[in-house]
Amino acid sequence: MKYMIMITMNPTAWDALPEEERNEVVARIDPFMKKLSESGELLGTQALAEPKESTVVRVREGVPVVTDGPYAESKEYLAGFYLVECESKERAIEIAGQIPDAHVNAMEIRPVVFSSGDNA
């Protein structure tokens, strides 16, 4: 089963960490991804820019209306995700708990119900 583990960033909590701790978290990311890749469970991962970099498109009366983001004011935002394929939701929860910044940011797990290009 495929699961998306979405990283919900809380910039206030992240910024409150000492610089040394932030550096330690960042240093643990590559080894974590390597281990997950070697197990065959990591299908992909992406980091997203901050919401201030976003563009919002709404179609009104057939005309696209484009505005600078973010879509909604929020203290937290989607910062990125890991796409994993593993045997169970319990394993996805275990993986999410191993993400280096899970002690600072929330990890939301959702089963993937459709993926373009899937032959399964």
Side-chain angles (χ1 to χ4, degrees), residues 13-111:
W14 179 256
D15 292 342
L17 293 176
E19 183 177 0
E20 183 178 303
E21 187 173 348
R22 288 194 309 263
N23 291 340
E24 287 173 13
V25 168
V26 171
R28 292 190 343 246
I29 292 173
D30 283 340
F32 168 75
M33 290 191 311
K34 182 178 180 192
K35 181 179 174 185
L36 207 53
S37 290
E38 288 172 352
S39 74
E41 295 171 304
L42 180 64
L43 299 178
T45 185
Q46 298 289 318
L48 302 173
E50 293 183 37
K52 67 182 180 182
E53 301 296 324
S54 65
T55 301
V56 178
V57 178
R58 295 176 179 89
V59 176
R60 300 295 181 258
E61 298 180 14
V63 178
V65 178
V66 180
T67 58
D68 290 337
Y71 173 73
E73 291 298 320
S74 175
K75 292 181 183 180
E76 298 178 337
Y77 59 87
L78 179 64
F81 64 87
Y82 290 89
L83 181 61
V84 299
E85 187 166 19
C86 54
E87 61 193 35
S88 66
K89 183 176 182 179
E90 290 72 25
R91 175 61 182 144
I93 291 169
E94 182 181 343
I95 291 168
Q98 295 172 3
I99 295 173
D101 57 322
H103 72 290
V104 180
N105 298 312
M107 303 296 149
E108 180 180 342
I109 301 166
R110 287 197 207 167

